[in-house]
Amino acid sequence: MFQRKFAPVWIAVMVWIAWLWAMQSGERWHLFEANYFMSLTMALGSFIAGATSEGGGAVAFPVMTLGFKISPEVARDFSLLIQSVGMIAAAATIAFTRIPVLGKAVLWSSVGGAIGIALGFELLARWPLPPVYAKMLFTSTWLSFAFALYWINRYHDREVHDHIERFSGRHIIMLGSVGILGGMVSSITGSGLDILTFSLLVLRFRISEKIATPTSVVLMGINALVGSLYKGGIRHDLAPEAWNYWWVCVPIVCIGAPLGAWFIKNRSRLFVAAILYVSIAVQFVAALIIL
């Protein structure tokens, strides 16, 4: 009981020990001088990532591309790298504290997501979107989901489920297909599988946001890790600048994301939805003003 209750603490301690050793042995402390702004960004971004269906990349990508004029390619690579730490840490917290998730959705969306992100890197990379289109693709995708979620939640007592009823082959096809699409979006913006699968679960299958949110957190952690390994280990073309941002954000996200997952554990589904509305609306308005 003690270990489960303090799971976020133990996870953060283990990550910090490894990070401190790597920073000291590699003499990387100077990276904070030029990149501290990303540490501040991810302090909020990682908490939102753990508490909602938006991954850390959903905060990092628009802030980096819109606010700091960093190229979408670098922002995407950083998003994948940092979610491989933050979202995996949040997923571990979800597992240790026994927050319910949809295991079948995690399995089949992850399979589709792995295929989709590999296809995205191999096919879409040949026809890169202009930066302004990549930015608006990101914000528009999230806004459309937020509007649909708000529309169905007009009736606060609408029927919701905690599992997919009569799970069958067609559900596998739907989860896998959305996973492929989400993985391809992730190959452009650094996240996407989480919000698209969340949309399918909530809008189509009527799953409660309290169940769909931690499910999407686990999904994005897995997809970000797969994307990072594929792009770094197979394609060998992760942006060097992304690593510089990553080093200064690791100790932040390993605390923020697990805390976010823990924070929503006993919150109502409407509270979770409200956080999504506000964060997505702010992102979209900021994008319109800046672009």
Side-chain angles (χ1 to χ4, degrees), residues 15-16 19 81-82 85 245-255:
V15 174
W16 266 74
W19 175 80
L81 286 170
I82 203 62
V85 177
Y245 298 133
W246 183 81
W247 282 111
V248 301
C249 293
V250 166
I252 308 297
V253 301
C254 71
I255 297 174

Side-chain angles (χ1 to χ4, degrees), residues 21-290:
W21 178 84
M23 289 292 286
Q24 185 62 34
S25 62
E27 298 182 351
R28 298 183 174 94
W29 297 105
H30 66 280
L31 293 175
F32 279 102
E33 296 179 12
N35 305 311
Y36 70 91
F37 62 92
M38 283 307 302
S39 302
L40 299 177
T41 298
M42 294 312 297
L44 175 62
S46 60
F47 183 85
I48 294 177
T52 71
S53 58
E54 290 189 285
V59 176
F61 188 86
V63 170
M64 294 174 77
T65 57
L66 300 174
F68 298 117
K69 308 303 181 183
I70 297 170
S71 72
E73 291 76 18
V74 173
R76 174 204 57 208
D77 288 357
F78 167 77
S79 297
L80 291 174
L81 286 170
I82 203 62
Q83 288 175 127
S84 297
V85 177
M87 303 294 277
I88 290 296
T93 299
I94 289 170
F96 278 119
T97 56
R98 295 181 177 177
I99 297 174
V101 299
L102 296 174
K104 292 178 181 178
V106 170
L107 172 61
W108 295 110
S109 286
S110 291
V111 171
I115 296 172
I117 201 166
L119 287 175
F121 285 142
E122 296 298 335
L123 301 178
L124 299 182
R126 301 179 183 179
W127 304 283
L129 287 176
V132 67
Y133 288 106
K135 298 169 187 176
M136 289 311 298
L137 168 66
F138 178 92
T139 54
S140 298
T141 300
W142 268 244
L143 183 69
S144 62
F145 159 73
F147 179 80
L149 182 62
Y150 172 78
W151 189 257
I152 67 172
N153 272 335
R154 290 175 301 155
Y155 307 103
H156 292 178
D157 57 348
R158 69 181 178 89
E159 182 182 0
V160 295
H161 309 289
D162 59 4
H163 65 281
I164 300 176
E165 297 185 324
R166 295 184 293 278
F167 190 87
S168 63
R170 69 184 181 90
H171 295 102
I172 293 176
I173 293 174
M174 294 173 71
L175 288 166
S177 300
V178 168
I180 292 174
L181 178 60
M184 296 185 75
V185 173
S186 294
S187 73
I188 300 173
T189 67
S191 63
L193 175 64
D194 47 354
I195 199 73
L196 291 181
T197 302
F198 183 91
S199 302
L200 175 65
L201 294 177
V202 173
L203 302 180
R204 176 62 179 86
F205 300 148
R206 305 295 182 182
I207 301 298
S208 168
E209 290 88 338
K210 283 181 63 63
I211 307 293
T213 294
T215 300
S216 68
V217 169
V218 175
L219 275 170
M220 197 60 235
I222 295 172
N223 195 235
L225 184 59
V226 170
S228 298
L229 292 174
Y230 187 89
K231 202 166 191 299
I234 296 178
R235 291 180 57 88
H236 304 290
D237 61 354
L238 278 169
E241 300 95 325
W243 283 109
N244 294 337
Y245 298 133
W246 183 81
W247 282 111
V248 301
C249 293
V250 166
I252 308 297
V253 301
C254 71
I255 297 174
L259 283 178
W262 173 83
F263 175 75
I264 65 163
K265 180 178 181 180
N266 297 315
R267 306 289 174 174
S268 70
R269 67 176 187 83
L270 294 177
F271 180 86
V272 174
I275 296 178
L276 278 172
Y277 301 151
V278 173
S279 62
I280 293 173
V282 169
Q283 288 174 12
F284 188 77
V285 171
L288 291 179
I289 293 174
I290 295 172

